[in-house]
């Protein structure tokens, strides 16, 4: 018995992944001049909006695997754009945006906004 795989041509999962990659490339083209990837911009924006968050909570909020967030946050940390906040619980070290990170976010915002506006037009 043979299976007809013709339906796989219209795979919604694959189509969604293609669309996501296209949108990501669009945002990253705008953010490149600021030395940021789209995910890194989202990390900075999320921390600016919400305040310090434990890595696992931030990963869940962003819809990322914790390991993906850890990799994305590494460059932000090296550049001094995020840091850790000390708490009474030594096991927990929430990450926070730094003053330098806030400046980077604000400098990149017009590029993000241009990508946001043009992506909205393209998807309308």
């Amino acid at each position: 018995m043979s299976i007809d795989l013709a339906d796989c041509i219209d795979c919604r999962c694959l189509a969604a992944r293609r669309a996501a990659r296209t949108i990501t490339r669009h945002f990253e083209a705008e953010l490149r001049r600021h030395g940021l990837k789209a995910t890194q911009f989202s990390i900075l924006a999320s921390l600016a909006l919400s305040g310090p968050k434990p890595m696992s909570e931030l990963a869940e909020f962003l819809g990322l695997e914790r390991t993906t967030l850890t990799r994305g946050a590494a460059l932000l940390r090296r550049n001094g754009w995020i840091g850790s906040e000390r708490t009474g619980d030594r096991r927990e070290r929430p990450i926070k945006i730094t003053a330098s990170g806030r400046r980077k976010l604000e400098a990149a915002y017009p590029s993000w906004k241009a990508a946001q506006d043009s992506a909205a037009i393209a998807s309308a």
Side-chain angles (χ1 to χ4, degrees):
M1 184 167 172
S2 179
I3 297 172
D4 181 7
L5 296 173
D7 287 342
C8 295
I9 293 170
D10 297 322
C11 177
R12 290 182 184 100
C13 181
L14 179 58
R17 293 175 60 88
R18 281 184 183 144
R21 284 191 297 274
T22 299
I23 292 168
T24 298
R25 281 193 299 272
H26 177 71
F27 275 83
E28 290 188 351
E30 289 289 337
L31 293 169
R32 188 171 297 123
R33 71 191 80 174
H34 301 284
L36 289 171
K37 299 271 190 187
T39 302
Q40 293 166 336
F41 181 89
S42 296
I43 293 167
L44 292 175
S46 295
L47 291 171
L49 290 167
S50 70
K53 282 191 177 295
M55 191 73 83
S56 57
E57 191 176 318
L58 183 59
E60 185 177 331
F61 176 78
L62 292 169
L64 298 172
E65 295 292 326
R66 194 172 190 281
T67 55
T68 302
L69 176 57
T70 299
R71 283 192 309 272
L75 177 66
L76 299 177
R77 188 179 303 278
R78 276 196 308 273
N79 287 329
W81 300 332
I82 63 171
S84 297
E85 185 166 271
R86 296 192 186 275
T87 66
D89 184 348
R90 298 176 86 180
R91 296 168 295 163
E92 186 177 288
R93 298 207 34 135
I95 58 174
K96 65 179 182 174
I97 190 168
T98 63
S100 176
R102 181 70 188 210
R103 288 190 298 274
K104 175 58 80 172
L105 176 63
E106 290 176 0
Y109 177 81
S111 295
W112 173 87
K113 183 73 168 122
Q116 176 78 357
D117 290 348
S118 60
I121 291 168
S123 66

